[in-house]
Amino acid sequence: MDLELILQSAAECLALKPNLSEENPDGYDKAVLGLSESGQLVYSKEIMVELLMQDDPELSEEDAWEFLEFNCFCAYVGDQTPIFVNTY
């Protein structure tokens, strides 16, 4: 699988962007830990929460977790659906 193609797919997926907007083209790129053997992006849930809270300072940590659980962590976007892991 081509890494550039995977990153482009992630960039186009609104579920992987803070506030579900296209305003932040990098989305959660800083939360990417790597790739699975099948080419799926692997994200840190905790870093995603931090990034979302930075994007919206009025958002509590609990609300950020709830938002991501509902909009990202359970989303299916095809064969290349990202993997979200806890990084303690």
Side-chain angles (χ1 to χ4, degrees), residues 24 26-33 42-44 47-48 51 54:
N24 183 352
D26 298 327
Y28 294 103
D29 289 355
K30 292 180 181 177
V32 173
L33 300 174
V42 179
Y43 287 86
S44 164
I47 295 173
M48 288 178 72
L51 291 171
Q54 287 174 9

Side-chain angles (χ1 to χ4, degrees), residues 54-68:
Q54 287 174 9
D55 190 57
D56 184 355
E58 295 181 15
L59 198 63
S60 71
E61 184 175 356
E62 184 179 334
D63 289 339
W65 275 102
E66 184 178 329
F67 176 86
L68 289 168

Side-chain angles (χ1 to χ4, degrees), residues 11-84:
E12 293 170 0
C13 180
L14 288 180
L16 297 177
K17 298 181 182 184
N19 296 329
L20 300 176
S21 73
E22 293 190 27
E23 293 175 16
N24 183 352
D26 298 327
Y28 294 103
D29 289 355
K30 292 180 181 177
V32 173
L33 300 174
L35 290 170
S36 71
E37 287 185 19
S38 61
Q40 294 164 280
L41 286 167
V42 179
Y43 287 86
S44 164
K45 289 181 177 182
E46 286 77 12
I47 295 173
M48 288 178 72
V49 167
E50 290 175 20
L51 291 171
L52 182 58
M53 289 174 29
Q54 287 174 9
D55 190 57
D56 184 355
E58 295 181 15
L59 198 63
S60 71
E61 184 175 356
E62 184 179 334
D63 289 339
W65 275 102
E66 184 178 329
F67 176 86
L68 289 168
E69 287 286 345
F70 184 79
N71 292 291
C72 292
F73 302 154
C74 65
Y76 178 76
V77 292
D79 292 340
Q80 294 302 308
T81 296
I83 298 170
F84 302 99

